Amino acid sequence: MKKTKRFMAFLMSAMMTAAVPIGNIANAEIIEVSYMEDGRETVISTNRLTLEEAAGLISGEDFKWLGGKQPVLLPIRGCNRRIPTVTPDNKIHNIHVSKIITSIRMKTGKELPYDDIKAEVEGAGLIMPVIQKNGNDYELINAVSEQAYNAALDLIKACPDVTAIEMKYQIYEDINGIQFYGMEFDEGADVDEILAKYPELERQPSDNGLDFSYTGGYDKLYDFISRLNDNGESVKPFWIMTELGMLQYTYYYCTEPVLLDGTAGDANIDGYVDLSDSVMIMQSIANPDKYGPSAESGITAQGTANGDTDKDGLTGMDSLNIQKSLLGMGNIPIPPKDKDIPLVSYDPIDFTEEKYFSTFTMNGIEYWMTATNVNKDKIGEKISDNVTVSVKDEEKTGTVYSMNGFADEAAVALQYSGSNNYQVFRNPKYLPATIGELIDGMELDKQITFSGIYADRFDPSRTLKFEPEQEIIWDTLFGDRDIEILERSENNDSLYMPKRNGQRTNDDFILHIGWDMPIMGRYNMGITVYPTGYVRTNLVDYGLQFNISEEKAKALIEYFENKE
């Protein structure tokens, strides 16, 4: 296990108020960490970046979003977490968003009224999103729909004790290559206008009539995407991704503010106005590298908006106005401070503190961390106390619980000692005997969502895109509970794609079905169906395969082709 040096800057001062504003971030900053785990090198680079800045570090200068504009990323089921970019050398960068969090900061000493919010969301017939506690902050980490997410977020915004909300992302560049072949325009786009502006596009059959294939050549891709960007087009790009192993991870962490109508003068977003806010403003101006908006320990976007008391930009006059107001000589309302609530230093939500590749072994099974938490209603009986969890060269202890609806051999929940959260751990080698056991062991009928479907046809070679229909896909793949599950083997053309007289024909096909399973921390994963009836999938990390029959495989692709 290899490590680079950790550069840590501790900002600790109990007496020097001018050096560290009370109530503001004052904790260790990890600049870079790298280590080897399971043959993969992981590099963690922490900076306070916007999504665009992080994408620029990955892609290089003058990059363009392949989708036409910066994507909207929300912690909802089915959110597209592939946000590719293209650079002037016509190279596509396959950027993957591995974590999306809505972070909620509360007034010092206050709690989020979770039960009240949950009652209102469920009263509207929606499923309450998963919210967890991380230090002094709350995190909304998963919602089943955008409607449920927006309903909960509106209630959170309306809570008077919420002082700041930020979107937090973890992104990296996937070494799996992307082959771009087309796009879908937004609803309402004019087809004739699209074809006139972009002669590189050819219209393709689709339900909404707004799917187009790209014929302009990869040497002209950047110029084409630049025109899309310049014209303000918003599109959903289509691509095929290679299936290479992930050999290196380089994570970047970025934030985007969700600005509130906050408390005037509350520069350190602790919910109060005092001298520490004046100090925060002066530090951000005098030492922006350490306390500015881009610094890990610096003023936040919400703090900047709050601190700008005269709405003329953040200046020393705002700091002076706060001091005068505290003496009764200014124009900023000073909210009363509860005497029994001590000011505390908040820790930032620090993704580097979350332990990747965490594992523990129980009953001969090695479980892998999913980075997904579940609500308490998903927790079943206690299985084991004081389980040791390995993280690089560190160890933690926790209690393991069964998960309602899951076989213990498939997944369990672990509660770290001293934590209120329940984290899902999955068995990467789970191998049930039949389709029925797979469904029952992973609550597959409730947890999986099919997110896309593509077909490769041969002679002539072409790729077709279809809208996924949950019921027909489910019935075809998982309708026969007695089908035997096999351990996934290496590629074998004769098993999956037998050549007919040495050639591929139009009877041959490969059907790619995308799927998400948020509770297992899996997004944009794949199921591949072959003309022999064999199905290969990474529903578990080490892979599974089974045979649904040639007839069912052929009927499935023909069903979608006939609809087109």
Side-chain angles (χ1 to χ4, degrees):
M1 196 173 294
K2 173 181 135 183
K3 293 183 179 178
T4 62
K5 293 181 179 179
R6 301 188 181 192
F7 300 90
M8 308 184 73
F10 290 90
L11 307 176
M12 298 184 298
S13 175
M15 303 296 293
M16 299 175 63
T17 306
V20 181
I22 299 173
N24 191 51
I25 297 167
N27 209 31
E29 178 186 351
I30 302 177
I31 306 301
E32 183 175 283
V33 178
S34 71
Y35 59 92
M36 298 295 295
E37 188 73 35
D38 295 336
R40 305 180 180 93
E41 182 180 3
T42 297
V43 181
I44 298 175
S45 175
T46 64
N47 289 288
R48 194 165 186 170
L49 305 168
T50 65
L51 182 61
E52 185 172 5
E53 288 169 341
L57 286 177
I58 291 174
S59 308
E61 295 183 358
D62 299 324
F63 77 89
K64 303 293 183 183
W65 296 106
L66 199 62
K69 61 182 181 181
Q70 181 170 315
V72 176
L73 300 169
L74 300 174
I76 59 175
R77 182 175 298 180
C79 176
N80 181 25
R81 292 168 178 254
R82 299 281 173 183
I83 52 172
T85 61
V86 60
T87 42
D89 58 359
N90 295 299
K91 179 181 178 181
I92 294 178
H93 297 266
N94 182 7
I95 298 178
H96 179 62
V97 185
S98 52
K99 189 176 288 293
I100 305 173
I101 286 173
T102 302
S103 173
I104 304 149
R105 172 67 57 83
M106 300 299 297
K107 186 176 181 179
T108 302
K110 299 296 183 179
E111 298 291 329
L112 185 72
Y114 175 84
D115 291 338
D116 294 339
I117 294 171
K118 183 174 185 287
E120 288 204 41
V121 170
E122 294 181 345
L126 303 170
I127 298 175
M128 178 64 183
V130 177
I131 295 178
Q132 68 182 22
K133 196 86 183 293
N134 185 346
N136 295 293
D137 293 330
Y138 291 86
E139 298 172 335
L140 195 162
I141 59 173
N142 184 29
V144 299
S145 68
E146 188 170 355
Q147 186 181 8
Y149 173 81
N150 288 333
L153 188 63
D154 286 344
L155 293 167
I156 291 168
K157 287 180 178 179
C159 177
D161 292 326
V162 171
T163 64
I165 299 176
E166 282 188 320
M167 298 303 303
K168 295 179 178 286
Y169 310 114
Q170 170 189 285
I171 70 174
Y172 64 89
E173 182 171 15
D174 194 333
I175 65 169
N176 290 288
I178 281 181
Q179 180 181 348
F180 169 76
Y181 65 88
M183 62 189 61
E184 175 186 352
F185 279 76
D186 282 352
E187 198 74 30
D190 185 275
V191 172
D192 293 333
E193 184 178 329
I194 291 171
L195 293 174
K197 286 197 295 186
Y198 309 109
E200 305 94 331
L201 297 180
E202 290 183 0
R203 190 179 182 187
Q204 297 296 318
S206 64
D207 290 341
N208 63 8
L210 295 173
D211 287 6
F212 297 83
S213 60
Y214 173 71
T215 63
Y218 263 74
D219 59 334
K220 301 175 182 177
L221 180 60
Y222 180 78
D223 290 339
F224 168 69
I225 297 298
S226 295
R227 283 167 31 226
L228 284 178
N229 279 250
D230 293 342
N231 292 331
E233 309 281 12
S234 178
V235 300
K236 177 183 177 181
F238 303 146
W239 63 74
I240 301 172
M241 192 168 71
T242 61
E243 295 185 8
L244 302 174
M246 176 59 82
L247 300 178
Q248 178 174 336
Y249 296 82
T250 302
Y251 290 111
Y252 295 85
Y253 305 98
C254 36
T255 65
E256 301 285 347
V258 180
L259 292 179
L260 305 171
D261 185 11
T263 301
D266 182 19
N268 61 11
I269 59 173
D270 66 353
Y272 301 100
V273 179
D274 53 28
L275 189 59
S276 67
D277 297 298
S278 175
V279 174
M280 178 82 262
I281 293 172
M282 293 306 296
Q283 286 180 318
S284 69
I285 296 170
N287 192 353
D289 290 341
K290 193 171 185 179
Y291 296 109
S294 62
E296 186 67 28
S297 300
I299 193 169
T300 66
Q302 184 68 57
T304 300
N306 293 347
D308 184 10
T309 60
D310 54 11
K311 305 305 176 187
D312 192 28
L314 197 65
T315 67
M317 293 304 296
D318 296 304
S319 177
L320 180 60
N321 194 11
I322 291 172
Q323 295 178 43
K324 291 170 65 176
S325 298
L326 290 169
L327 297 173
M329 301 166 57
N331 58 7
I332 302 173
I334 304 299
K337 185 181 297 184
D338 297 334
K339 293 181 179 179
D340 59 341
I341 296 178
L343 286 178
V344 297
S345 293
Y346 278 107
D347 294 333
I349 291 185
D350 186 355
F351 287 104
T352 62
E353 290 300 312
E354 297 178 10
K355 306 301 184 180
Y356 296 95
F357 307 109
S358 306
T359 64
F360 70 86
T361 300
M362 182 181 69
N363 298 330
I365 299 173
E366 183 183 62
Y367 291 89
W368 289 5
M369 189 190 80
T370 66
T372 300
N373 285 16
V374 289
N375 287 332
K376 195 170 183 178
D377 58 9
K378 201 66 183 170
I379 302 304
E381 296 182 357
K382 182 189 296 185
I383 301 175
S384 180
D385 285 319
N386 296 320
V387 169
T388 299
V389 188
S390 300
V391 187
K392 295 182 280 182
D393 58 346
E394 304 173 22
E395 290 184 345
K396 279 190 175 183
T397 60
T399 302
V400 180
Y401 295 85
S402 292
M403 286 174 53
N404 295 329
F406 283 77
D408 294 345
E409 294 78 12
V412 295
L414 181 137
Q415 185 179 40
Y416 286 110
S417 299
S419 172
N420 294 320
N421 299 322
Y422 298 90
Q423 190 174 98
V424 178
F425 279 70
R426 64 178 183 257
N427 176 6
K429 297 182 180 180
Y430 180 53
L431 188 64
T434 64
I435 290 291
E437 288 186 19
L438 177 67
I439 295 170
D440 296 341
M442 299 179 67
E443 205 176 36
L444 211 60
D445 53 337
K446 296 180 180 179
Q447 300 297 342
I448 195 169
T449 301
F450 303 113
S451 55
I453 182 166
Y454 302 86
D456 292 332
R457 279 290 196 180
F458 303 89
D459 195 25
S461 178
R462 61 199 187 280
T463 298
L464 309 171
K465 169 184 173 289
F466 312 107
E467 289 298 319
E469 293 188 27
Q470 307 293 316
E471 186 173 352
I472 185 66
I473 297 173
W474 176 267
D475 289 345
T476 302
L477 299 181
F478 303 109
D480 187 347
R481 293 175 57 90
D482 295 328
I483 291 178
E484 182 182 3
I485 297 286
L486 306 171
E487 189 172 0
R488 183 169 167 175
S489 62
E490 296 299 320
N491 288 330
N492 185 332
D493 282 348
S494 64
L495 185 64
Y496 304 113
M497 290 283 292
K499 290 185 178 179
R500 308 171 199 280
N501 298 321
Q503 299 294 325
R504 298 276 185 239
T505 72
N506 198 41
D507 291 330
D508 293 321
F509 63 86
I510 302 176
L511 197 61
H512 308 275
I513 302 171
W515 60 269
D516 300 324
M517 198 182 301
I519 197 170
M520 299 293 257
R522 314 295 297 283
Y523 297 90
N524 298 314
M525 308 307 286
I527 297 173
T528 306
V529 182
Y530 297 93
T532 57
Y534 271 93
V535 177
R536 303 179 73 200
T537 178
N538 50 4
L539 279 168
V540 299
D541 298 80
Y542 275 62
L544 302 172
Q545 65 180 12
F546 50 92
N547 195 306
I548 59 174
S549 78
E550 290 187 33
E551 293 76 18
K552 283 188 175 182
K554 183 178 180 181
L556 184 61
I557 190 170
E558 289 180 349
Y559 173 84
F560 287 103
E561 288 179 331
N562 290 337
K563 285 182 68 67
E564 291 298 315

Coordinates of all heavy atoms in Angstrom, one line a residue, residues 450 453 467-479 513 548 552 555-560 563:
F450 N -34.5 0.4 -15.3 CA -33.8 0.4 -16.5 C -33.7 1.8 -17.1 O -34.8 2.4 -17.3 CB -34.5 -0.6 -17.5 CG -34.7 -2.0 -16.9 CD1 -35.9 -2.5 -16.5 CD2 -33.5 -2.8 -16.7 CE1 -36.0 -3.8 -16.0 CE2 -33.6 -4.0 -16.1 CZ -34.9 -4.5 -15.7
I453 N -31.7 1.7 -23.5 CA -31.5 0.5 -24.3 C -31.0 0.8 -25.7 O -31.5 1.7 -26.3 CB -32.8 -0.3 -24.3 CG1 -32.6 -1.6 -25.1 CG2 -34.0 0.5 -24.9 CD1 -33.8 -2.6 -24.9
E467 N -36.4 3.7 -26.2 CA -36.8 4.1 -24.9 C -37.0 2.8 -24.1 O -37.7 1.9 -24.6 CB -38.1 4.9 -25.0 CG -37.9 6.3 -25.5 CD -37.0 7.2 -24.7 OE1 -37.0 7.1 -23.4 OE2 -36.1 7.9 -25.2
P468 N -36.5 2.7 -22.9 CA -36.7 1.5 -22.1 C -38.1 1.4 -21.6 O -38.7 2.3 -21.1 CB -35.7 1.7 -20.9 CG -35.6 3.2 -20.8 CD -35.7 3.8 -22.2
E469 N -38.7 0.2 -21.8 CA -40.0 -0.1 -21.2 C -39.8 -1.1 -20.1 O -39.4 -2.3 -20.4 CB -40.9 -0.6 -22.3 CG -41.3 0.4 -23.4 CD -42.4 -0.1 -24.3 OE1 -43.2 -0.9 -23.9 OE2 -42.4 0.4 -25.5
Q470 N -40.0 -0.7 -18.9 CA -39.7 -1.5 -17.7 C -40.3 -2.9 -17.7 O -39.7 -3.9 -17.5 CB -40.1 -0.7 -16.4 CG -39.6 0.7 -16.4 CD -38.1 0.8 -16.2 OE1 -37.5 0.1 -15.4 NE2 -37.5 1.8 -16.9
E471 N -41.6 -2.9 -18.1 CA -42.3 -4.2 -17.9 C -41.8 -5.2 -18.9 O -41.6 -6.4 -18.5 CB -43.8 -3.9 -18.1 CG -44.7 -5.2 -17.9 CD -46.2 -4.9 -17.9 OE1 -46.5 -3.7 -18.0 OE2 -46.9 -5.8 -17.8
I472 N -41.7 -4.9 -20.2 CA -41.3 -5.9 -21.2 C -39.8 -6.3 -20.9 O -39.5 -7.5 -21.1 CB -41.4 -5.3 -22.6 CG1 -41.1 -6.4 -23.7 CG2 -40.5 -4.1 -22.9 CD1 -42.1 -7.5 -23.7
I473 N -38.9 -5.4 -20.5 CA -37.6 -5.8 -20.2 C -37.6 -6.8 -19.0 O -36.9 -7.8 -19.0 CB -36.7 -4.6 -19.9 CG1 -36.6 -3.7 -21.2 CG2 -35.3 -5.0 -19.4 CD1 -35.9 -2.4 -20.9
W474 N -38.3 -6.4 -18.0 CA -38.4 -7.2 -16.7 C -38.9 -8.6 -17.0 O -38.3 -9.6 -16.6 CB -39.2 -6.5 -15.7 CG -39.4 -7.4 -14.4 CD1 -40.4 -8.3 -14.2 CD2 -38.5 -7.5 -13.3 NE1 -40.2 -8.9 -13.0 CE2 -39.0 -8.5 -12.5 CE3 -37.3 -6.9 -13.0 CZ2 -38.4 -8.8 -11.3 CZ3 -36.6 -7.2 -11.8 CH2 -37.2 -8.2 -11.0
D475 N -40.0 -8.7 -17.7 CA -40.6 -10.0 -18.0 C -39.7 -10.9 -18.8 O -39.7 -12.1 -18.6 CB -42.0 -9.8 -18.7 CG -43.1 -9.2 -17.8 OD1 -42.9 -9.2 -16.6 OD2 -44.1 -8.7 -18.4
T476 N -39.0 -10.3 -19.8 CA -38.2 -11.1 -20.7 C -36.9 -11.6 -19.9 O -36.6 -12.8 -20.0 CB -37.7 -10.3 -21.9 OG1 -38.8 -9.8 -22.6 CG2 -36.8 -11.1 -22.8
L477 N -36.3 -10.7 -19.1 CA -35.1 -11.1 -18.4 C -35.3 -11.9 -17.2 O -34.6 -12.8 -16.8 CB -34.2 -9.9 -18.1 CG -33.8 -9.0 -19.3 CD1 -32.9 -7.9 -18.9 CD2 -33.0 -9.9 -20.3
F478 N -36.3 -11.5 -16.4 CA -36.5 -12.0 -15.1 C -37.8 -12.7 -14.8 O -38.2 -13.0 -13.7 CB -36.3 -10.9 -14.0 CG -35.0 -10.2 -14.2 CD1 -34.9 -8.9 -14.6 CD2 -33.8 -10.8 -13.8 CE1 -33.7 -8.2 -14.8 CE2 -32.6 -10.2 -13.9 CZ -32.5 -8.9 -14.4
G479 N -38.6 -12.9 -15.9 CA -39.9 -13.5 -15.7 C -39.9 -15.0 -15.3 O -40.8 -15.4 -14.7
I513 N -28.6 -2.9 -22.2 CA -29.6 -2.4 -21.4 C -29.0 -1.7 -20.2 O -28.3 -2.4 -19.4 CB -30.6 -3.4 -20.9 CG1 -31.3 -4.1 -22.2 CG2 -31.7 -2.8 -20.0 CD1 -32.1 -5.3 -21.9
I548 N -31.7 -16.9 -21.4 CA -33.2 -16.8 -21.4 C -33.8 -17.5 -22.6 O -35.0 -17.5 -22.7 CB -33.6 -15.3 -21.4 CG1 -33.0 -14.6 -22.6 CG2 -33.2 -14.6 -20.1 CD1 -33.5 -13.2 -22.8
K552 N -36.5 -15.8 -26.8 CA -36.8 -14.6 -26.0 C -35.9 -13.5 -26.3 O -36.3 -12.3 -26.4 CB -36.7 -15.0 -24.5 CG -37.8 -15.7 -23.9 CD -37.7 -15.8 -22.4 CE -39.0 -16.5 -21.8 NZ -38.9 -16.6 -20.3
A555 N -37.0 -12.1 -29.6 CA -38.3 -11.4 -29.5 C -38.2 -10.1 -28.8 O -38.9 -9.1 -29.1 CB -39.3 -12.3 -28.7
L556 N -37.2 -9.9 -27.9 CA -37.0 -8.7 -27.2 C -36.5 -7.6 -28.1 O -37.0 -6.5 -28.2 CB -36.0 -8.9 -26.0 CG -35.8 -7.6 -25.2 CD1 -37.0 -7.2 -24.5 CD2 -34.7 -7.9 -24.1
I557 N -35.5 -7.9 -29.0 CA -35.0 -6.9 -29.9 C -36.0 -6.5 -31.0 O -36.2 -5.4 -31.4 CB -33.6 -7.2 -30.5 CG1 -33.0 -6.0 -31.2 CG2 -33.7 -8.5 -31.4 CD1 -31.6 -6.2 -31.7
E558 N -36.7 -7.5 -31.4 CA -37.7 -7.3 -32.4 C -38.9 -6.5 -31.9 O -39.5 -5.7 -32.6 CB -38.3 -8.6 -33.0 CG -37.2 -9.3 -33.9 CD -37.8 -10.6 -34.4 OE1 -38.8 -11.1 -34.0 OE2 -37.1 -11.2 -35.3
Y559 N -39.2 -6.6 -30.6 CA -40.3 -5.8 -30.0 C -39.9 -4.3 -30.1 O -40.8 -3.5 -30.5 CB -40.4 -6.2 -28.5 CG -41.4 -5.3 -27.8 CD1 -42.8 -5.5 -27.8 CD2 -40.9 -4.2 -27.0 CE1 -43.6 -4.6 -27.1 CE2 -41.7 -3.4 -26.3 CZ -43.1 -3.6 -26.4 OH -43.9 -2.7 -25.7
F560 N -38.7 -4.0 -29.8 CA -38.3 -2.6 -29.8 C -38.1 -2.1 -31.2 O -38.5 -0.9 -31.6 CB -37.0 -2.3 -29.0 CG -37.2 -2.4 -27.5 CD1 -36.9 -3.5 -26.8 CD2 -37.8 -1.3 -26.9 CE1 -37.1 -3.6 -25.4 CE2 -38.0 -1.4 -25.5 CZ -37.7 -2.5 -24.8
K563 N -41.5 -1.3 -32.7 CA -42.1 -0.1 -32.2 C -41.5 1.1 -33.0 O -42.2 2.1 -33.2 CB -41.8 0.1 -30.7 CG -42.7 -0.8 -29.9 CD -42.4 -0.6 -28.4 CE -42.9 0.8 -27.9 NZ -44.4 0.9 -28.0

